[in-house]
Amino acid sequence: MTDPRDTLGFVRSRLDRHSAEQPEEAVPAFDAPEARLVLLCGDRIVLRGATALIAPADADGLTDGMRIFLGHRDGQPVFAAAAPAEAAERFADDRTRTLDLRAIATESAVEAEELGLLAVAKSMLDWHARHGFCANCGTATVLKAGGFRRECPACAAHHFPRVDPVVIMLVRRADTCLLGRGPHFRPNMYSCLAGFLEPGETIEDAVRREVFEETRIRVGAVGYRTSQPWPFPSSLMLGCAAEALDDAIVTDPSELEDARWFDRNAVAAMLEGTHPEGIQAPPPMAIANYLMRAFVAGET
């Protein structure tokens, strides 16, 4: 099996991250000649050729609000900023365009190491957009540490960017695996089951609970495989393989439109786009695709 980093989106990055532990003076000047900027116009990222790292001057007048210092990439300071969705019109010419992050990943519009950096930028900007007020007292908070912390001027509480862990699992029984489709999936696509971890829950117990809630299948052994940042808005996908203890599927319509057992030949056809029913797998940049390929190869 290939290294998951060879195919998964958002996992590779050359960014040397800034952190909340560094002093305020460690944040470089935004207008430094070597500085680069990731600019989101609504949910669309500005691309110049095959890169989303533009000069701050290219976004003149659009970055007067919140901007975040992400860190250094190849020695260059990198910032992220958000602009109104309508600002995307400014970047529709022969040299620039805008795409949402899913499309950038699916089309490989930037190199893999830059895609990981864009995941950091989008997750951070999304977190700041939703956490402008103190969860302790309700006062408007202030951006600090280049954006890696928010502070409350009233109660002195510190708030840090959060990541939501999600389990995603390839459930196997003998030579078949369990795949389902949610009501929001694109037509004909089946994927691994997935769900958020809950407070006080282990990864293994989250896998067992989610599978049972969605299909009434009981799960025994659970093993970790790999992980993937998923910046929609800020999750960490924890890829697992699990052994089913029974095989009678009962789906919850509010969770799944359908769930089935598929043998290796059927999953291979889904991955190759040749399934006789037109059933499709998630794209190669998704961790579900990696887990399905591992099943076909006999590695789960």
Side-chain angles (χ1 to χ4, degrees):
M1 190 68 187
T2 59
D3 185 331
R5 293 170 61 87
D6 292 338
T7 56
L8 294 183
F10 313 118
V11 300
R12 295 168 61 183
S13 176
R14 297 199 304 274
L15 179 70
D16 294 325
R17 293 170 180 259
H18 189 58
S19 76
E21 285 69 43
Q22 298 187 39
E24 293 298 324
E25 54 267 25
V27 178
F30 182 64
D31 59 355
E34 70 277 15
R36 292 294 178 265
L37 172 69
V38 176
L39 181 65
L40 272 79
C41 301
D43 64 353
R44 299 176 71 86
I45 296 174
V46 175
L47 297 175
R48 174 151 289 175
T51 183
L53 298 173
I54 65 174
D58 292 336
D60 185 48
L62 298 176
T63 60
D64 296 334
M66 181 186 64
R67 55 180 180 243
I68 299 167
F69 173 55
L70 302 179
H72 289 85
R73 182 179 188 264
D74 301 336
Q76 293 180 309
V78 180
F79 294 83
E86 56 268 24
E89 299 174 5
R90 173 170 160 180
F91 300 98
D93 56 41
D94 293 340
R95 296 189 303 155
T96 58
R97 60 176 175 152
T98 59
L99 285 177
D100 66 73
L101 188 52
R102 288 179 189 270
I104 291 173
T106 302
E107 297 178 16
S108 300
V110 301
E111 64 176 48
E113 288 83 0
E114 187 172 315
L115 190 61
L117 183 153
L118 297 186
V120 180
K122 184 176 185 302
S123 290
M124 292 285 284
L125 289 169
D126 282 346
W127 180 79
H128 280 282
R130 298 192 312 274
H131 292 82
F133 295 87
C134 179
N136 187 49
C137 72
T139 302
T141 53
V142 179
L143 184 149
K144 293 290 185 179
F148 279 75
R149 182 175 72 242
R150 297 191 74 93
E151 295 182 5
C152 178
C155 71
H158 287 192
H159 305 279
F160 301 91
R162 311 304 299 175
V163 174
D164 300 315
V166 176
V167 290
I168 180 166
M169 42 279 179
L170 193 293
V171 181
R172 192 185 78 176
R173 181 152 175 85
D175 291 325
T176 61
C177 73
L178 178 65
L179 302 173
R181 59 170 285 105
H184 61 286
F185 284 14
R186 71 168 187 255
N188 300 321
M189 190 184 84
Y190 278 68
S191 185
C192 299
L193 306 187
F196 288 98
L197 267 76
E198 295 185 351
E201 192 172 46
T202 65
I203 292 173
E204 294 84 355
D205 284 344
V207 168
R208 296 183 182 110
R209 174 185 54 77
E210 283 289 342
V211 174
F212 186 77
E213 285 179 357
E214 295 187 359
T215 64
R216 288 300 184 262
I217 298 293
R218 294 179 300 116
V219 166
V222 176
Y224 170 79
R225 291 295 180 265
T226 192
S227 63
Q228 178 186 29
W230 195 248
F232 305 104
S234 187
S235 295
L236 177 64
M237 309 299 290
L238 303 168
C240 298
E243 292 289 336
L245 301 177
D246 46 39
D247 56 13
I249 299 172
V250 180
T251 57
D252 178 353
S254 66
E255 296 276 356
L256 293 176
E257 282 187 357
D258 188 32
R260 307 184 200 175
W261 294 103
F262 294 89
D263 63 23
R264 284 192 173 88
N265 289 336
V267 176
M270 292 165 63
L271 292 164
E272 295 166 2
T274 60
H275 193 281
E277 297 178 50
I279 298 176
Q280 302 172 8
M285 52 81 66
I287 195 170
N289 184 289
Y290 172 81
L291 294 172
M292 292 166 68
R293 285 187 285 111
F295 170 72
V296 171
E299 298 180 359
T300 59

